[in-house]
Amino acid sequence: MDSLRIVLVDTEGSINLGMILRLSANFGAKEIFLVSSRTYNEEEILKYAVRASYLYSSIVRVSSLDEALSECDVRICTTAKAREEDVLRNNVPSTKLPELVSKYRKVCLVFGRESTGLTREELSKCDFSSTIPTSEEYPALNLANSVAIYLYELLSRSRSEKLGIEAAGRSQIEGAVSAFSGISSHVLKDPHKRERAERAFRQIAFRAAPSEREIKIVAHVLRRALRRIESCQSK
Amino acid sequence: MDSLRIVLVDTEGSINLGMILRLSANFGAKEIFLVSSRTYNEEEILKYAVRASYLYSSIVRVSSLDEALSECDVRICTTAKAREEDVLRNNVPSTKLPELVSKYRKVCLVFGRESTGLTREELSKCDFSSTIPTSEEYPALNLANSVAIYLYELLSRSRSEKLGIEAAGRSQIEGAVSAFSGISSHVLKDPHKRERAERAFRQIAFRAAPSEREIKIVAHVLRRALRRIESCQSK
């Protein structure tokens, strides 16, 4: 995916519009098309856009969904609930969307009215529909929250797999394991128990994927404890 | 994960509170704790909760974060941006959270104020922090949108990805932390270093989500080592 266009159809709430501007800045979405002839409360939009209020002027207002969908390589209509007919119409859950859209250049994601969603005619202009999996009980998400989840899924989640702190190198973690193991050999008599203890510590340490800093500190304490026990024994 | 508790610290906006009620119904979150002495606009809350307004009376209002964190097996503080210090403090991106929390029974997810987030003191009460990966440009998400993304990630997205062995209970992990901490107090003179050492060990232990068996064995060795050092010192 080279670019994502958010297409808002007849959005009713100014607060939602403001929040969507903010979300665009949060996740780096560049295009918002608004198919609407409504008048909005500009003050409210800017208030809820907070530091993304500069994006207000970049909203492209058009008078038809066809216009908003021009240049789209793939058109996805979001729906609050995958009804049986939608399933037949090829509904892709939000979780599966990144894989699918990754193959397209320009992706257009269409969001309907807060009250009634998209009409059948509007839905028919999309290549497929997509739904966020929710509880059965109350599947209708607030519009801005729905946009938040789609932007997260499409623009952030799939790109962030590399995020997080890098783990310490193997030898550093082994250093802590070996100090722990040294301590075990002093406080446990049974060699089987020692072995099990080393394994438990090793599993915890490696599974935690500790940062260099974290494991260094822990290894330092364990090494000192080991030396203390040794020097005590030799007295 | 058996249950998720949303802990809201000093939430400022009634619209956000209403949206969070709706989100709880959307994703089936059962517990909301609110640490606040503010007065809210009830009408606004109920308006934005829409069909989840019945949940309003189930919000548990408490006067301290400690109260809100009672019974939590793992405590996660959400932050708008992983600053360098947070990274040191063990920041887990939202995308990696499901795997981690799946091993704990009761998971508490803490959200700070809209304006200023969580204080350092509040952050220090969590086992680690978590951040939603966003653009560098404008990382601060609206509170309700942030809750939306976390509930989606934890309660919806990952439902099918159940993992591994169940983690030990909080008290068992704390037992190992406390033995390690006892050792530190003998082998490290500087109280700041002791504190850092305890934190590093705690982070590693909780992040590893150890099984009961694993943490018991490690705690046993650490406790014996501690006793050995103590008895040696008293000679």
Side-chain angles (χ1 to χ4, degrees):
Chain A
M1 182 170 64
D2 289 343
S3 75
L4 177 72
R5 177 184 297 173
I6 299 167
V7 177
L8 303 170
V9 177
D10 205 17
T11 303
E12 293 153 4
S14 303
I15 292 178
N16 273 334
L17 267 184
M19 284 186 173
I20 292 168
L21 288 177
R22 180 170 174 182
L23 285 164
S24 301
N26 291 149
F27 291 106
K30 304 275 183 252
E31 287 186 15
I32 301 178
F33 278 52
L34 176 60
V35 187
S36 168
S37 54
R38 286 175 197 269
T39 314
Y40 295 96
N41 180 336
E42 189 178 321
E43 204 183 320
E44 217 163 48
I45 293 179
L46 298 177
K47 182 181 164 198
Y48 282 86
V50 196
R51 280 176 40 211
S53 54
Y54 68 95
L55 286 176
Y56 180 52
S57 59
S58 68
I59 297 177
V60 182
R61 287 193 73 155
V62 293
S63 54
S64 76
L65 180 55
D66 286 325
E67 261 181 278
L69 294 176
S70 66
E71 305 160 335
C72 300
D73 289 308
V74 66
R75 302 153 172 197
I76 306 151
C77 281
T78 61
T79 59
K81 197 184 172 179
R83 288 159 301 186
E84 206 181 336
E85 47 188 320
D86 290 329
V87 174
L88 295 177
R89 196 187 279 130
N90 201 1
N91 186 282
V92 177
S94 54
T95 52
K96 305 282 185 213
L97 215 48
E99 194 188 331
L100 205 157
V101 303
S102 68
K103 295 163 189 156
Y104 293 95
R105 276 183 299 275
K106 191 169 204 77
V107 176
C108 293
L109 199 57
V110 185
F111 295 89
R113 298 152 195 84
E114 288 91 329
S115 54
T116 54
L118 294 164
T119 64
R120 289 180 154 276
E121 201 203 326
E122 287 157 359
L123 282 166
S124 74
K125 294 183 192 294
C126 283
D127 301 311
F128 51 85
S129 67
S130 175
T131 299
I132 294 168
T134 56
S135 73
E136 293 284 300
E137 205 179 298
Y138 188 6
L141 284 159
N142 161 269
L143 173 63
N145 286 327
S146 172
V147 172
I149 289 169
Y150 274 106
L151 294 188
Y152 171 68
E153 187 68 78
L154 292 176
L155 297 177
S156 162
R157 203 182 190 291
S158 49
R159 286 177 194 182
S160 67
E161 295 301 316
K162 306 165 219 150
L163 256 161
I165 340 154
E166 194 170 79
R170 170 158 210 96
S171 64
Q172 287 173 311
I173 302 177
E174 288 287 3
V177 173
S178 129
F180 181 85
S181 183
I183 291 173
S184 294
S185 71
H186 284 282
V187 301
L188 299 175
K189 278 180 192 158
D190 181 347
H192 282 98
K193 284 193 180 169
R194 286 181 193 166
E195 210 178 286
R196 275 210 320 239
E198 181 185 316
R199 180 173 303 150
F201 185 85
R202 177 190 296 281
Q203 285 169 356
I204 290 176
F206 275 96
R207 201 165 53 226
S211 68
E212 192 173 317
R213 188 188 147 97
E214 284 172 342
I215 200 70
K216 261 190 180 166
I217 296 173
V218 168
H220 176 68
V221 170
L222 294 176
R223 265 188 224 109
R224 286 211 166 188
L226 176 59
R227 252 179 281 147
R228 189 72 65 90
I229 291 170
E230 282 169 350
S231 75
C232 174
Q233 227 137 16
S234 67
K235 272 178 200 162
Chain B
M1 182 169 65
D2 289 344
S3 74
L4 176 72
R5 177 183 297 174
I6 300 168
V7 176
L8 302 170
V9 177
D10 206 17
T11 303
E12 292 154 5
S14 303
I15 293 179
N16 273 334
L17 267 185
M19 284 187 172
I20 292 168
L21 288 178
R22 181 170 173 181
L23 285 164
S24 301
N26 290 150
F27 291 106
K30 304 274 183 252
E31 286 188 15
I32 301 178
F33 276 53
L34 176 59
V35 187
S36 168
S37 53
R38 286 175 198 270
T39 314
Y40 295 96
N41 180 336
E42 190 176 320
E43 204 183 321
E44 217 162 50
I45 293 179
L46 297 178
K47 182 182 164 197
Y48 282 85
V50 196
R51 278 176 41 212
S53 54
Y54 69 94
L55 286 176
Y56 180 51
S57 59
S58 68
I59 297 178
V60 181
R61 287 193 74 156
V62 292
S63 54
S64 76
L65 180 53
D66 285 324
E67 262 180 277
L69 294 176
S70 66
E71 307 160 332
C72 300
D73 286 308
V74 66
R75 303 151 173 196
I76 306 151
C77 280
T78 62
T79 60
K81 197 185 172 179
R83 288 160 300 186
E84 204 182 338
E85 47 188 322
D86 291 329
V87 173
L88 295 178
R89 196 186 280 127
N90 201 358
N91 187 282
V92 177
S94 54
T95 53
K96 305 282 187 212
L97 214 48
E99 193 187 330
L100 205 158
V101 303
S102 69
K103 294 169 186 152
Y104 288 96
R105 276 181 296 275
K106 189 168 205 78
V107 176
C108 294
L109 198 58
V110 185
F111 295 89
R113 297 152 194 83
E114 288 91 330
S115 54
T116 55
L118 294 163
T119 64
R120 287 179 157 274
E121 202 203 327
E122 286 157 358
L123 282 167
S124 74
K125 294 184 193 292
C126 284
D127 300 311
F128 49 84
S129 67
S130 175
T131 298
I132 294 169
T134 56
S135 73
E136 294 283 302
E137 204 178 297
Y138 189 6
L141 284 160
N142 160 268
L143 173 63
N145 288 326
S146 173
V147 173
I149 289 168
Y150 274 105
L151 295 189
Y152 171 68
E153 187 69 78
L154 294 176
L155 297 178
S156 164
R157 208 181 187 290
S158 62
R159 240 174 230 173
S160 54
E161 300 165 24
K162 277 182 190 153
L163 276 154
I165 341 153
E166 191 171 78
R170 177 167 200 91
S171 63
Q172 287 172 311
I173 303 178
E174 288 288 2
V177 172
S178 128
F180 181 85
S181 184
I183 292 173
S184 294
S185 71
H186 284 284
V187 301
L188 298 176
K189 278 182 191 155
D190 182 348
H192 282 99
K193 285 192 179 166
R194 288 180 191 168
E195 210 178 287
R196 276 211 317 241
E198 180 183 319
R199 181 173 297 156
F201 186 85
R202 174 189 298 279
Q203 287 171 356
I204 290 175
F206 275 95
R207 201 164 55 223
S211 68
E212 195 172 315
R213 190 188 145 95
E214 283 172 342
I215 200 70
K216 259 189 180 168
I217 296 173
V218 168
H220 177 67
V221 169
L222 294 176
R223 265 188 225 110
R224 285 211 169 189
L226 176 58
R227 253 180 281 146
R228 188 71 66 92
I229 291 170
E230 281 169 351
S231 75
C232 172
Q233 227 138 16
S234 66
K235 274 176 197 166

